[in-house]
């Protein structure tokens, strides 16, 4: 169904049947952590700083915090309010998952490389827990485990093979959920078995990012919201950044704009592929209903190319559901009904449940499906998280800070010196909806296998 067909269907349904009285088109997380106008937002942009960070998401804020703690003068600029990007819009799943599996990487670039990639992802995963603990950020961090439901019998076999290969190579644990036991994990008949990865976690992303910003401000970082960088010029050992609120010079620049990277950052825009993600939150549900449908209260996703994902909210009795990633729609509203239909299709006990929130945000893919960290002179970047930016963004933010400070952990397997682009690609990903339609076609086909 097209977006306009979805809109017509939504219009036909009674508004009251779909939307709870408290419905808002806004991320659920903003109830506890509304994006902020920065304390310094009204202040004049300074002429110079040691480091200017472009993009106040997770990566940029972690880098800024670490740099300021080491005594550097750090300014963070963001074209929106602080926290208005994906940092406070995501689903809060914390994993070590990439589109490229251990088996795929082993066959394409060798076992040593595959193991290095997944070891670093594991460091990033564990790093979030350590970071949250060290900083004392109250953000509902939980090692809840993740259930992965197989969408077909062949996917079930592939999933188990893949996890077994990962256990053999890296020691990461998992348990198989046979088809007849799926209901011990999720009240759904949609899956042909699955697996649980016990050490993956979840977080309240709004509170996590809010906690990061508070600590960065306390460490002396100056945030400037609604400050849009239009160009970066090299000027000897310094860089001049032109912004919508004046110019600022810096010795080091950090680009952490991810899915919001625009054509003004030419080199970076040519290498990331922005695409939209969509999430809805249900109205308040009885606790017993959540215990019935998601008895282990984990995070849940499936084995499709274009995944659906489910989790309970950590701070109220609602269920969050995401899917239809990459659909061409500037707003989540036209997708609210189809997303609710999909959720009910997976969890029929939720029939009749209404929605309290629907929202969208930008992620960034890359042409090689890998995240990238690197530098061009003194312009550092961490970009292209392919839906896993909480752990990798936190990890890259800290590595970028160490690189500028010349201390600590600075190595990354994701710094390959090769960040691929595509001829004539300028950052306008016209092909994403087509790719997503192909993924949907593929997903419907594999469901029959
Ligand atoms: C719907 C959705 C669900 C997701 N779910 C998960 C999940 O469950 N787990 C997970 O790990 N990841 C998830 N992600 C991905 C994760 O949120 C992102 O990878 C991560 O937040 C992005 O990195 P960031 O936080 O560093 O940047 P962002 O928060 O995206 O911030 C980038 C900022 O750069 C600013 N900017 C851009 N250009 C300029 C400019 N020229 N001048 C000034 N500022 C600029 C933007 O305003 C923006 O605020 C999800 C993303 C979305 C959208």
């Amino acid at each position: 169904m097209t977006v306009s067909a979805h809109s017509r269907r939504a219009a036909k349904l009674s508004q009251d049947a779909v939307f709870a009285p408290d419905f808002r088109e806004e991320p659920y997380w903003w109830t506890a952590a509304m994006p902020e106008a920065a304390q310094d937002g009204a202040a004049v942009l300074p002429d110079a700083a040691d480091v200017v960070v472009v993009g106040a998401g997770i990566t940029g804020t972690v880098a800024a915090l670490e740099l300021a703690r080491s005594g550097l003068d750090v300014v963070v600029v963001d074209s929106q309010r602080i926290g208005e990007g994906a940092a406070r819009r995501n689903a809060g799943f914390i994993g070590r998952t990439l589109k490229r599996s251990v088996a795929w990487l082993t066959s394409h670039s060798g076992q040593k490389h595959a193991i290095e990639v997944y070891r670093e992802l594991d460091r990033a995963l564990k790093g979030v827990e350590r970071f949250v603990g060290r900083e004392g950020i109250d953000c509902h961090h939980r090692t809840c485990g993740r259930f992965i439901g197989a969408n077909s019998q062949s996917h079930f076999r592939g999933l188990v093979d893949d996890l077994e290969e990962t256990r053999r190579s890296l020691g990461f644990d998992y348990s198989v959920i046979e088809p007849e036991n799926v209901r011990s994990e999720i009240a759904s008949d949609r899956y042909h078995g699955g697996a649980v990865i016990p050490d993956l976690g979840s977080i309240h992303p709004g509170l996590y990012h809010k906690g990061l910003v508070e600590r960065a401000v306390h460490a002396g970082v100056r945030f400037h919201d609604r400050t849009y960088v239009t160009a970066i010029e090299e000027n000897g050992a310094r860089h001049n950044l032109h912004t919508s609120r004046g110019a600022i010079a810096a010795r080091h620049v950090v680009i952490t704009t991810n899915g919001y990277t625009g054509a003004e950052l030419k080199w970076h825009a040519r290498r990331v592929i922005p695409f939209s993600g969509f999430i809805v939150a249900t109205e308040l549900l009885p606790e017993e209903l959540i215990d019935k449908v998601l008895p282990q209260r984990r995070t849940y996703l499936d084995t499709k190319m274009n995944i659906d994902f489910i989790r309970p909210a950590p701070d109220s009795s609602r269920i969050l559901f995401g899917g239809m990633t990459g659909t061409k729609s500037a707003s989540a509203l036209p997708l609210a009904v189809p997303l609710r239909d999909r959720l009910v299709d997976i969890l029929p006990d939720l029939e009749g449940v209404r929605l309290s929130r629907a929202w969208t945000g930008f992620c960034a893919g890359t042409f090689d499906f890998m995240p990238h960290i690197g530098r061009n002179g003194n312009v550092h970047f961490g970009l292209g998280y392919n839906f896993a930016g909480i752990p990798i963004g936190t990890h890259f933010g800290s590595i970028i800070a160490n690189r500028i400070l010349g201390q600590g952990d600075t190595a990354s397997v994701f710094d390959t010196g090769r960040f691929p682009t595509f001829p004539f690609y300028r950052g306008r990903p016209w092909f994403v909806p087509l790719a997503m339609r192909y993924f949907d076609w593929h997903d419907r086909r594999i469901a029959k296998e």
Side-chain angles (χ1 to χ4, degrees), residues 53-61 77-95 146 203 205 209 224 226-231 242-243 255-262 264-265 275-279 309 311 322 325 359-364 382-394:
V53 177
V54 186
I58 298 167
T59 325
T61 308
V77 293
D78 199 293
S79 51
Q80 308 181 82
R81 286 174 296 167
I82 305 305
E84 203 166 345
R88 296 191 197 180
R89 292 173 181 271
N90 64 64
F93 286 39
I94 309 178
R146 178 179 298 178
I203 209 164
H209 185 256
H224 289 262
R226 298 179 175 98
T227 306
Y228 176 62
V229 173
T230 52
H242 298 275
T243 84
I255 307 285
T256 51
T257 46
N258 206 45
Y260 295 81
T261 308
E264 67 285 352
L265 300 171
F275 59 92
S276 307
F278 301 93
I279 307 184
F309 47 98
R311 66 166 292 182
T325 303
W359 71 97
T360 179
F362 286 115
C363 316
L383 297 165
Y385 303 125
N386 294 280
F387 241 54
I390 303 173
I392 307 177
T394 304

